[in-house]
Amino acid sequence: MVKRHSSSIEDYLEAIMLASLEGSKVTVTQISQVMGVKKPSVTSAIARLLEMGMVAHEKYGEIVLTEKGSRVAQDVYVRHQALRRFLVEILNVDEEVATDDACRMEHYLSSTSVDRLNKFIEFVMDCPQGRPIWLDGFNYFVSHGHRNPEQMLICSSRCNVRDKLTNNDE
Amino acid sequence: MVKRHSSSIEDYLEAIMLASLEGSKVTVTQISQVMGVKKPSVTSAIARLLEMGMVAHEKYGEIVLTEKGSRVAQDVYVRHQALRRFLVEILNVDEEVATDDACRMEHYLSSTSVDRLNKFIEFVMDCPQGRPIWLDGFNYFVSHGHRNPEQMLICSSRCNVRDKLTNNDE
DNA sequence: CATAATTGTTAGTATCATCTAACTGTGAGG
DNA sequence: CCTCACAGTTAGATGATACTAACAATTATG
C-alpha cells in the first residue's frame, strides 16, 4: 500500500520520528548525531523531504514531520520492530546485532512479509499457554549443537495427537 | 568474517555465479537480462569487479569468477536461501514475494543472524518427528485470524510436561 | 569470405547521497 | 545591545551506479 522510498530517506524519517518522541524540538545537529552523518547531509536530506511533503521546515527552524512523513516513518518503524523482535525474541540474537540488522533490512521487507512476520511473532510470543516449549528446544539446539533428547520425546508423543487431528480433518 | 561489499556488487557476483551453474559461458548480455539492467551497466560493473579481483575477464571474453569472487557469491547466496526458505517454508509467504524480499535483504543480514536463521530453519524443518504441529497451527492462525482451539488443547497438555522438565532442570 | 546481426565497449550524462570548506544566522552572556 | 560560540546553510567535489547514444568487435549466414 504505502509507497517505498530510498533507504536513506526512510532512515531520516525514522530518525526524525524517534527524535520527536524525545519531546524537545528536532534539530539538524541532533539528526546528524543520531544518524552518524555530517550536518550538510542532513540539510540536503531535509530539502529532499520538504519537496516530497514529508516534513515542514523553515530555515533555521525546527524539523517537523507532516502527516505523510509520519505515516512513512511509522511504517518503517513497524518493519524495524518486527525484524528486531524476531531476531531477538525468537532467534535469540544479541540486541545490538539484531538492531543493526533490523536497521538495514527494514527498508526491504515487503508489507506482505512484515504482516506475516508480525503474525508469527504474535503466534509464538503471545501463546495463551505461555512461551512455547519448542523455543527452549531451539535454544538448546543452538547452544548444544543437537536437540534436547528429553524434548524429542515430548515432540514424539505429540505426533500421535497430531496424527489423530489430521485424520479427523480428512 | 567475509568482508561485505555494496549490494550492487553482491548482486552481480550472485548473478554471475548462478549463470555459471547453467553450464554455458557467462556473457554480458545474459547478466544484463537476468539483472534487468542495460549492458553498459554490466560492463562497468565487471570493470569494478575486475579491479577487486573478483572476476577474470578479457575484452569481449567470457566472465569467470575468481576464487575470491566465488566465495563472496556463495556467501550472498547462502543468505539469500536462508531468508527465502524462512519466508516460504515457515512464514508461508508466496514464492515470488519471498524471492524478491530475499534478493533485497540478503545484502544486509549479518553472518551472526544468518547462522542463527539457518539453525532455526534446520531445527524446524528437519525435526526428526517431521513437520512440527505448531507450524500447522500458525497457518491456521494466519488464515482464520485466531488459534485453532483443538491445537490449543494440545499445547495446554504439553505445558504440564514442560513444567516437569523445567523443575528437573532447576 | 563478405556482410548483417549481434554482442560488447566507450563516452558522456544523471541521480543519489555523502563529504569538506567556507559562510551566515541566532541567541546567550557579559 | 554586542559579540561570539554554535547551529545551520551553501557551494562544490566525490563516488557509486545507472542510463543513452554511438561505436567497435565478433559471429553467423548466405
Side-chain angles (χ1 to χ4, degrees):
Chain A
M1 290 300 128
V2 182
K3 194 201 161 199
R4 291 298 175 90
H5 303 84
S6 73
S7 59
S8 166
I9 288 296
E10 287 190 348
D11 279 334
Y12 281 105
L13 289 172
E14 196 182 16
I16 294 166
M17 184 188 75
L18 295 174
S20 305
L21 297 177
E22 297 294 308
S24 55
K25 302 193 170 183
V26 180
T27 68
V28 168
T29 303
Q30 191 183 4
I31 298 301
S32 96
Q33 279 166 354
V34 301
M35 291 193 57
V37 298
K38 301 296 177 181
K39 289 187 288 180
S41 307
V42 178
T43 302
S44 86
I46 298 295
R48 269 176 281 145
L49 290 171
L50 202 60
E51 274 193 9
M52 296 179 190
M54 298 286 196
V55 297
H57 180 240
E58 25 202 79
K59 266 195 186 177
Y60 302 97
E62 89 182 284
I63 303 161
V64 184
L65 289 179
T66 59
E67 184 56 39
K68 184 179 173 190
S70 193
R71 239 183 299 117
V72 175
Q74 278 169 39
D75 213 64
V76 176
Y77 193 62
V78 164
R79 298 196 295 267
H80 176 96
Q81 285 297 77
L83 288 163
R84 198 183 158 287
R85 287 193 66 195
F86 170 68
L87 290 170
V88 169
E89 295 175 23
I90 298 181
L91 296 194
N92 203 26
V93 170
D94 288 347
E95 296 269 348
E96 305 82 52
V97 175
T99 301
D100 290 354
D101 281 17
C103 275
R104 293 189 312 263
M105 293 197 293
E106 65 191 10
H107 312 293
Y108 305 104
L109 190 64
S110 64
S111 41
T112 304
S113 299
V114 214
D115 287 351
R116 196 59 60 88
L117 185 57
N118 272 322
K119 284 208 185 74
F120 186 69
I121 295 165
E122 184 192 345
F123 179 77
V124 174
M125 302 309 290
D126 301 351
C127 176
Q129 278 79 25
R131 180 185 168 84
I133 192 168
W134 61 260
L135 247 187
D136 299 327
F138 174 57
N139 286 320
Y140 184 99
F141 182 67
V142 168
S143 46
H144 294 71
H146 59 83
R147 291 160 204 274
N148 184 340
E150 296 200 57
Q151 290 209 330
M152 285 168 70
L153 292 173
I154 303 165
C155 177
S156 169
S157 73
R158 278 193 296 124
C159 287
N160 304 325
V161 190
R162 190 235 317 263
D163 292 343
K164 279 170 205 152
L165 256 179
T166 313
N167 292 336
N168 286 344
D169 284 355
E170 283 167 346
Chain B
M1 291 299 125
V2 182
K3 196 202 160 200
R4 290 298 176 90
H5 303 84
S6 73
S7 59
S8 165
I9 287 297
E10 287 190 348
D11 278 334
Y12 281 105
L13 289 172
E14 195 183 16
I16 294 167
M17 184 189 75
L18 294 174
S20 305
L21 297 177
E22 296 295 309
S24 56
K25 302 193 171 184
V26 181
T27 69
V28 168
T29 303
Q30 191 184 5
I31 297 301
S32 98
Q33 281 166 352
V34 300
M35 292 192 58
V37 297
K38 302 295 176 181
K39 290 188 287 180
S41 308
V42 177
T43 303
S44 86
I46 298 296
R48 268 177 282 143
L49 290 170
L50 202 59
E51 273 192 11
M52 296 179 191
M54 297 286 196
V55 297
H57 179 241
E58 28 202 77
K59 266 195 184 179
Y60 301 97
E62 88 182 285
I63 303 161
V64 184
L65 290 180
T66 59
E67 184 56 37
K68 184 179 173 189
S70 193
R71 240 183 299 119
V72 175
Q74 279 169 39
D75 212 63
V76 176
Y77 193 64
V78 163
R79 298 197 294 268
H80 176 96
Q81 285 296 77
L83 288 163
R84 198 182 159 287
R85 287 193 66 195
F86 171 68
L87 290 170
V88 170
E89 295 174 25
I90 298 182
L91 296 193
N92 204 26
V93 169
D94 289 344
E95 296 269 348
E96 304 82 52
V97 174
T99 301
D100 290 354
D101 282 16
C103 275
R104 293 190 312 265
M105 294 196 294
E106 66 191 10
H107 311 293
Y108 305 104
L109 190 65
S110 64
S111 42
T112 304
S113 298
V114 215
D115 288 351
R116 196 58 61 88
L117 185 56
N118 272 323
K119 285 208 185 73
F120 186 68
I121 295 166
E122 184 192 346
F123 179 77
V124 174
M125 302 309 290
D126 302 350
C127 176
Q129 278 77 24
R131 181 184 167 86
I133 193 167
W134 60 259
L135 247 187
D136 299 326
F138 174 58
N139 285 322
Y140 184 99
F141 181 68
V142 168
S143 46
H144 293 71
H146 60 83
R147 290 160 205 274
N148 183 341
E150 296 201 56
Q151 291 209 327
M152 285 169 70
L153 292 175
I154 303 165
C155 178
S156 168
S157 72
R158 277 194 296 124
C159 288
N160 304 325
V161 190
R162 192 239 314 264
D163 291 343
K164 281 172 206 151
L165 256 179
T166 312
N167 291 335
N168 286 344
D169 282 357
E170 282 167 347

